[in-house]
Amino acid sequence: MVASNSHHTPEAPHGTAEGSAAAREPSSCASFQPYHQGQLDVFCAVYAVANALRSVHPLGMGQARRLFNDVLLDLSRDADAFRTVLYNATDHDALVRAVLECARRDVVPLRVERPFATSPALRVTGRVGPDASAPARRAYGPDASLPDRWGHGPDASPQPTPRAVWETLVGWLCGGTGRAAVLRFHRYLPFKGDPVISHWTAAGIPLGDTLFLHDSSRESNAIHVIERGGFVTAPEHLSDDRLVLVEPRCLYLIDVSV
């Protein structure tokens, strides 16, 4: 998530008349918005795990920084893998597993469950708008007329329904102390083929039909809540009122009370 700098203006050389004038008058760069943490990197997966752990364990800044550094050092030993992560050419699922393994080894004993690990990876690009999903919605319905647990994703591959994902996630979070969750979502705009954001986040305790997120992003369009009826789990179910796609196979349930 990198914001373009539309206010970039080359500085005039020092000692010139133009340079002297620039020193006396406000520069057009003075109004630029500084980059903040996360805009120039793609490590939301690391932050998601750290924030999930911090919500149920006293993870201090120093310990979190060591976790962050150790994971990146391990990753950097494989140049191809490191390049893939840096250039965002992956879903970062392996990075999440690496952070969890490092945390298990160096921070706190924990148990991790992946209830939908066998779900196929989703093809999340190429959507052309709500008209493309209308036949699927008519055929299957949002939830009620789908099989109790499974719907259909791209190429008729089985995908958990939003209801199954919601009930599994909320049931886990409300099932005991020391529990947290990490998930990946994609956010779309109407009539846009690709998601505008693909992001890892940490889930907080739900309140009614609202799931609050411990999210690392400070972007103005960041998502901090997910509504029970406001997301889908397969691209063909996207619509104008459901523009968030939660990827089932990328749901990690964490328990530090082991």
Side-chain angles (χ1 to χ4, degrees):
M1 292 179 286
V2 179
S4 60
N5 185 356
S6 59
H7 303 288
H8 177 69
T9 303
E11 294 182 4
H14 291 292
T16 65
E18 185 179 355
S20 299
R24 292 193 301 270
E25 298 195 5
S27 166
S28 61
C29 291
S31 61
F32 85 108
Q33 293 297 316
Y35 292 125
H36 59 70
Q37 182 93 34
Q39 282 185 294
L40 301 181
D41 67 59
V42 290
F43 297 123
C44 59
V46 183
Y47 282 93
V49 175
N51 285 329
L53 292 175
R54 192 181 180 198
S55 71
V56 291
H57 179 77
L59 183 70
M61 178 72 75
Q63 198 172 33
R65 185 175 288 119
R66 285 194 299 273
L67 176 64
F68 187 96
N69 292 344
D70 287 347
V71 168
L72 294 190
L73 284 172
D74 286 344
L75 184 64
S76 68
R77 294 186 176 95
D78 185 333
D80 290 337
F82 196 41
R83 186 178 298 106
T84 297
V85 169
L86 286 178
Y87 285 92
N88 206 22
T90 173
D91 60 9
H92 302 273
D93 188 65
L95 183 57
V96 168
R97 295 197 301 272
V99 182
L100 287 169
E101 184 55 38
C102 187
R104 179 187 285 119
R105 183 184 67 233
D106 299 333
V107 179
V108 61
L110 55 87
R111 176 167 59 102
V112 177
E113 293 188 10
R114 298 184 62 193
F116 307 111
T118 59
S119 300
L122 295 177
R123 186 175 64 248
V124 297
T125 61
R127 177 181 180 249
V128 296
D131 288 343
S133 62
R137 292 199 305 276
R138 286 195 297 268
Y140 301 118
D143 266 331
S145 59
L146 286 165
D148 184 55
R149 187 176 179 85
W150 300 96
H152 289 83
D155 307 319
S157 59
Q159 290 292 341
T161 65
R163 182 175 61 189
V165 171
W166 179 269
E167 291 177 354
T168 298
L169 179 57
V170 170
W172 175 266
L173 293 172
C174 297
T177 60
R179 292 187 171 190
V182 170
L183 59 91
R184 185 180 191 228
F185 68 79
H186 310 271
R187 182 182 181 186
Y188 293 78
L189 293 176
F191 301 103
K192 297 293 184 181
D194 296 339
V196 292
I197 294 174
S198 292
H199 186 58
W200 286 87
T201 190
I205 297 298
L207 180 61
D209 289 337
T210 302
L211 178 68
F212 292 88
L213 306 176
H214 302 300
D215 197 77
S216 62
S217 178
R218 293 174 55 196
E219 300 276 7
S220 60
N221 61 348
I223 292 180
H224 296 287
V225 298
I226 294 178
E227 300 292 341
R228 177 176 184 144
F231 72 96
V232 300
T233 53
E236 68 267 28
H237 296 152
L238 289 161
S239 62
D240 284 345
D241 58 345
R242 289 186 176 189
L243 292 170
V244 174
L245 169 62
V246 174
E247 194 163 355
R249 73 180 183 90
C250 293
L251 176 61
Y252 287 77
L253 307 179
I254 305 166
D255 187 357
V256 302
S257 61
V258 294

